[in-house]
Amino acid sequence: MTITIYGIKSCSTMKKAFTKLDDLGISYDFHDYKKQGIDKDSVQRWVDELGIDKVLNKRGTTWRKLEDAQKQAADSDVDKAIDLLIENTSMIKRPIVEGQSVLLCGYDEAEFDTNFT
């Protein structure tokens, strides 16, 4: 099974996910948003399957620093929210773990156990 984990290397949640996948013996490719960015098709796929409320992290500083007009636009229009995620990859909830038959958003140890053991 080919797994790609998307996120930012220095994120503490990402480090937990890397460790868990390593402990489970799951090999993966890492896609670093800061270095590689992200394409609209990927974000659209995640939002279609998981929903914008799951993918968009409103708890982080990047969201809080947006202008109110940007926040309102993202709240009312999914396409605008997706564009914001592409421009501000720090607002994508981490990690996104994607494989042939799995798509996880955020780190939940039990969810990782269920999907990879």
Side-chain angles (χ1 to χ4, degrees), residues 13-45:
T13 306
M14 292 296 300
K15 290 176 184 176
K16 290 177 191 174
F18 293 140
T19 299
K20 184 64 176 179
L21 290 173
D22 291 341
D23 289 349
L24 292 171
I26 304 295
S27 62
Y28 55 87
D29 295 320
F30 172 56
H31 182 102
D32 189 334
Y33 298 136
K34 292 293 185 190
K35 294 180 181 175
Q36 298 167 276
I38 193 64
D39 61 277
K40 187 168 187 167
D41 288 341
S42 294
V43 177
Q44 184 71 57
R45 183 174 62 252

Side-chain angles (χ1 to χ4, degrees), residues 20 24 104 107-117:
K20 184 64 176 179
L24 292 171
L104 305 176
Y107 179 72
D108 178 326
E109 186 171 1
E111 196 173 36
F112 274 57
D113 285 334
T114 300
N115 283 278
F116 298 115
T117 56

Side-chain angles (χ1 to χ4, degrees), residues 45-61:
R45 183 174 62 252
W46 302 336
V47 169
D48 288 347
E49 189 165 331
L50 301 170
I52 191 65
D53 292 333
K54 179 92 173 170
V55 177
L56 174 58
N57 178 11
K58 292 184 177 181
R59 293 174 48 188
T61 56

Side-chain angles (χ1 to χ4, degrees), residues 63-82:
W63 173 261
R64 290 194 299 265
K65 289 181 182 178
L66 291 178
E67 296 176 12
D68 287 340
Q70 290 175 297
K71 292 177 186 177
Q72 290 170 354
D75 283 337
S76 63
D77 185 331
V78 172
D79 289 329
K80 289 181 181 170
I82 288 170

